[in-house]
Amino acid sequence: MQGRRLATTDELIAIVSPDSEGPLETLTEWADERGLGLSTVDVGDDIGGVYDESRATLGVTLGGDGTFLEGVKTFAPREIPQLGVNTGTLAFLARVEPEDLEDALEEVLHGRAAVDSRQQVHVTAPGVDATGINDVMVQQVPPENPIDRKVARLDVYADDEYIGEFEGTGLAVSTPTGSTGISLSANGPVHYPVNNHTLQIVPLHTHNLGVRPIVVSPETELRIITRGQASLLVDGGRAHTILSEDDEITVTGADKRAHVVRTSYDDHFFTAITKKLGWSLRDATVPPEKRLESPSPPGTATTDCEGTDTVQRALTVATEAAKAAGEPLRELHGQVESIAVKSNKSDIVTEADHQADRIITTAVGNEFPDHAIFSEESTRQTGENADYLWVIDPLDGTGNFAHGNPNYSISVALIEDGEPVMGVVYVPETDELFTAIAGEGAWRDGDPIRTTDRDRLDESMLISGYDPDGSFLSHFYQESRGVRRLGSAALNLCYLASGSADAIWEHDTYSWDIAAGLVIARAAGATITDESGAPFEFVLDTDERRALLGSNGSLHPALLEHVADGLTTPAE
């Protein structure tokens, strides 16, 4: 989940532990002042009566790590992002202090927080079918007579490959989040939990020196066979049972992950454990402006925008907003072709447009309140005195989307003095990201892209946009290696830029469809003209037909010759 998506939050659900009255009062006042809905439930209670899946919801826990874990149990199955506020004592998971609550929430509401994807673990055994975020422990059962043998014997398999016998206190299967608990105490490794989706098997005080911690993927199926009685605990006892000899336990990564919201008011992971465990091995002070910083390749976003110019900063925001908007589009795209929704397919497409548009325009408006916004799907702000204008198409290729076709995209552009200067096109189904700044280059997923250098039609692949009477197809199909139609003008321009096509044709264009693609194609070396060969001029809004002919440059003369020879504007 992208942090920019949090900017559309309109509902809060708080899980509240006892002795959290002060932070709850602060949260209530803050939500009231901003017109946000707030529902509260006690630890252990279900949120089914207050949760509305149609609303953008943020989960908040007020308490210690125990309350946080209850929040994970409640929020993760519903894919609700969760912010933990520490009103307890020694907390590793809930890391926002009560005095920072309002500032942290403001950061969330402006889409400036990060969202960590945390791996969960799923376990089945006789009498247990549970999911946890920390660990699964299989241990010896204390004997009635304290002098009797206190040993568990376990056979362990990974995808039917025998790992070995664990004899001793038992073993733990930990997620990276849980690696600082039982794993650390048993001299196992500490795993960095942010977007780390592994599982680790850690022996607990075994009598066999050959047993070592093992790391596996979340898709690995671990089978544990008991060779006597054993105690099974999930997340410290939130699920618990006593197993008999030859019982089988199956452990694997859970299908759904927990989404943990992190702000600049949180301690970093290693800072937190250094301070709270008293390791004193490093300076635990991290400057706030560095807390969410991470290096990125050219053309991709970073969360720290200070010191960059407006266009570079706009590229960062556009990238984050487009990726955040891609999440609900992917979710809704998967529903389009299901039998249950065929009757209301248009409602899903409308909802997809609405959600993506809201995420992007909210992110842009938060970061650039003085800029104008022109979006296909929402209120259009002309902003006569604005120095910059954003042109947005939250869903280019609506027809494809409505039929379950993956060729749709998100287009975000920045206009300065009437010319597109920054463009981002994101393809949710393939996770491809095309970016460019005019005069600085174009990138796909951070790697530079350029157009092809072919100059012969018979060696070239062409893409056609809207071709009402098929004249482009009929006139060029036999002259080239093929003419394709994808159904997304933004994608057409990006594929020209990246060399997947040598030329494209659009019978008529809309500004929101092509604004970002124009920047990307031109920055990659493309030549863009009208059908007469005159340079293509970007016009924000017009009812006139405006044809676009784009190529790698070297192919353009041959294209224009064939256009003049046989491609004419069809009669109305």
Side-chain angles (χ1 to χ4, degrees):
M1 178 178 288
Q2 296 290 326
R4 291 289 177 184
R5 190 174 178 179
L6 299 175
T8 62
T9 299
D10 50 23
E11 180 76 20
L12 306 176
I13 297 178
I15 296 178
V16 184
S17 70
D19 303 321
S20 296
E21 293 86 354
L24 177 58
E25 183 178 342
T26 299
L27 179 63
T28 302
E29 292 176 357
W30 183 88
D32 287 344
E33 289 172 1
R34 285 149 189 81
L36 299 175
L38 171 63
S39 300
T40 62
V41 297
D42 293 332
V43 176
D45 289 350
D46 185 62
I47 66 170
V50 297
Y51 173 57
D52 181 353
E53 64 179 9
S54 68
R55 305 197 70 185
T57 302
L58 173 69
V60 180
T61 60
L62 302 178
D65 279 355
T67 305
F68 188 93
L69 291 173
E70 284 297 314
V72 170
K73 181 180 177 181
T74 300
F75 295 132
R78 297 173 170 92
E79 308 263 10
I80 299 173
Q82 173 178 338
L83 177 72
V85 180
N86 177 31
T87 62
T89 51
L90 186 66
F92 293 96
L93 298 172
R95 298 209 295 263
V96 173
E97 296 303 320
E99 60 267 25
D100 295 325
L101 173 58
E102 292 179 283
D103 290 333
L105 286 170
E106 286 294 335
E107 196 168 281
V108 170
L109 203 62
H110 281 79
R112 293 171 182 157
V115 182
D116 296 345
S117 170
R118 295 294 184 94
Q119 180 63 52
Q120 296 199 93
V121 63
H122 183 247
V123 56
T124 57
V128 171
D129 186 345
T131 297
I133 194 173
N134 275 342
D135 49 52
V136 176
M137 293 174 55
V138 186
Q139 297 177 283
Q140 48 84 17
V141 176
E144 293 184 6
N145 186 340
I147 64 171
D148 285 347
R149 195 166 185 247
K150 307 178 184 67
V151 174
R153 290 179 56 236
L154 308 166
D155 285 329
V156 183
Y157 299 79
D159 289 337
D160 293 325
E161 183 174 348
Y162 185 54
I163 294 176
E165 181 185 71
F166 288 63
E167 183 178 14
T169 303
L171 64 80
V173 180
S174 301
T175 68
T177 301
S179 68
T180 53
I182 296 300
S183 171
L184 180 60
S185 69
N187 295 317
V190 175
H191 278 217
Y192 185 57
V194 177
N195 299 320
N196 180 350
H197 302 139
T198 59
L199 300 177
Q200 54 181 309
I201 308 166
V202 179
L204 304 178
H205 310 108
T206 64
H207 301 314
N208 185 343
L209 293 178
V211 176
R212 293 290 182 268
I214 298 170
V215 178
V216 298
S217 76
E219 291 79 20
T220 303
E221 183 181 83
L222 299 172
R223 291 191 302 117
I224 303 167
I225 311 297
T226 61
R227 297 309 181 204
Q229 269 198 331
S231 171
L232 171 65
L233 299 94
V234 181
D235 279 356
R238 284 175 171 77
H240 176 229
T241 191
I242 300 298
L243 302 171
S244 302
E245 184 173 0
D246 293 329
D247 279 346
E248 180 173 314
I249 308 160
T250 301
V251 182
T252 189
D255 292 335
K256 290 191 176 180
R257 293 167 179 159
H259 300 298
V260 178
V261 177
R262 290 292 177 222
T263 73
S264 63
Y265 297 91
D266 297 43
D267 279 335
H268 274 193
F269 172 70
F270 288 108
T271 299
I273 61 175
T274 296
K275 291 194 304 185
K276 294 175 181 179
L277 296 180
W279 287 355
S280 301
L281 297 178
R282 60 193 289 271
D283 180 3
T285 303
V286 180
E289 68 273 12
K290 297 294 184 183
R291 292 184 177 179
L292 291 177
E293 187 177 39
S294 59
S296 299
T300 60
T302 62
T303 50
D304 180 9
C305 302
E306 295 182 6
T308 60
D309 61 23
T310 298
V311 177
Q312 182 63 52
R313 183 173 166 227
L315 177 64
T316 296
V317 174
T319 297
E320 294 173 348
K323 284 196 167 186
E327 293 173 351
L329 292 188
R330 276 193 299 269
E331 294 162 7
L332 292 166
H333 183 261
Q335 301 176 30
V336 164
E337 283 301 288
S338 70
I339 295 174
V341 302
K342 283 185 182 293
S343 61
N344 61 346
K345 185 182 295 185
S346 61
D347 293 338
I348 291 180
V349 176
T350 300
E351 179 65 15
D353 267 331
H354 171 74
Q355 286 199 33
D357 181 76
R358 187 181 175 201
I359 290 169
I360 298 169
T361 55
T362 301
V364 170
N366 282 338
E367 297 294 341
F368 302 97
D370 297 329
H371 291 192
I373 299 175
F374 183 99
S375 173
E376 181 189 12
E377 302 300 333
S378 63
T379 302
R380 302 179 183 183
Q381 306 171 18
T382 55
E384 295 179 2
N385 298 320
D387 294 327
Y388 293 94
L389 170 69
W390 291 75
V391 177
I392 299 164
D393 188 351
L395 178 51
D396 183 39
T398 305
N400 287 343
F401 185 93
H403 287 83
N405 187 300
N407 290 307
Y408 65 90
S409 62
I410 297 166
S411 175
V412 184
L414 182 68
I415 313 299
E416 182 180 15
D417 297 329
E419 283 297 319
V421 294
M422 181 281 299
V424 168
V425 174
Y426 180 58
V427 192
E429 296 302 318
T430 60
D431 198 31
E432 288 179 288
L433 177 71
F434 296 91
T435 60
I437 292 177
E440 294 189 16
W443 302 270
R444 177 175 58 194
D445 298 331
D447 298 321
I449 54 176
R450 294 289 297 176
T451 58
T452 65
D453 58 2
R454 298 186 185 92
D455 59 4
R456 292 168 53 104
L457 269 175
D458 60 359
E459 297 177 348
S460 300
M461 176 68 71
L462 313 183
I463 295 179
S464 169
Y466 177 53
D467 185 16
D469 66 352
S471 56
F472 183 84
L473 176 65
S474 61
H475 196 67
F476 280 90
Y477 191 79
Q478 297 298 330
E479 304 294 328
S480 65
R481 284 189 172 174
V483 177
R484 304 290 185 260
R485 185 177 178 199
L486 303 179
S488 168
L491 269 183
N492 293 349
L493 286 160
C494 289
Y495 288 156
L496 169 63
S498 60
S500 297
D502 303 289
I504 68 168
W505 160 257
E506 297 283 349
H507 170 75
D508 56 9
T509 59
Y510 293 102
S511 58
W512 50 83
D513 291 336
I514 63 169
L518 276 177
V519 184
I520 295 167
R522 286 170 171 166
T527 296
I528 310 291
T529 70
D530 63 16
E531 57 199 336
S532 71
F536 184 87
E537 295 183 7
F538 178 80
V539 178
L540 183 60
D541 197 10
T542 179
D543 293 329
E544 298 178 1
R545 185 182 82 85
R546 304 188 69 248
L548 180 150
L549 186 65
S551 78
N552 58 12
S554 55
L555 191 64
H556 221 73
L559 288 170
L560 288 171
E561 179 181 348
H562 279 71
V563 167
D565 183 47
L567 186 60
T568 59
T569 302
E572 296 294 335

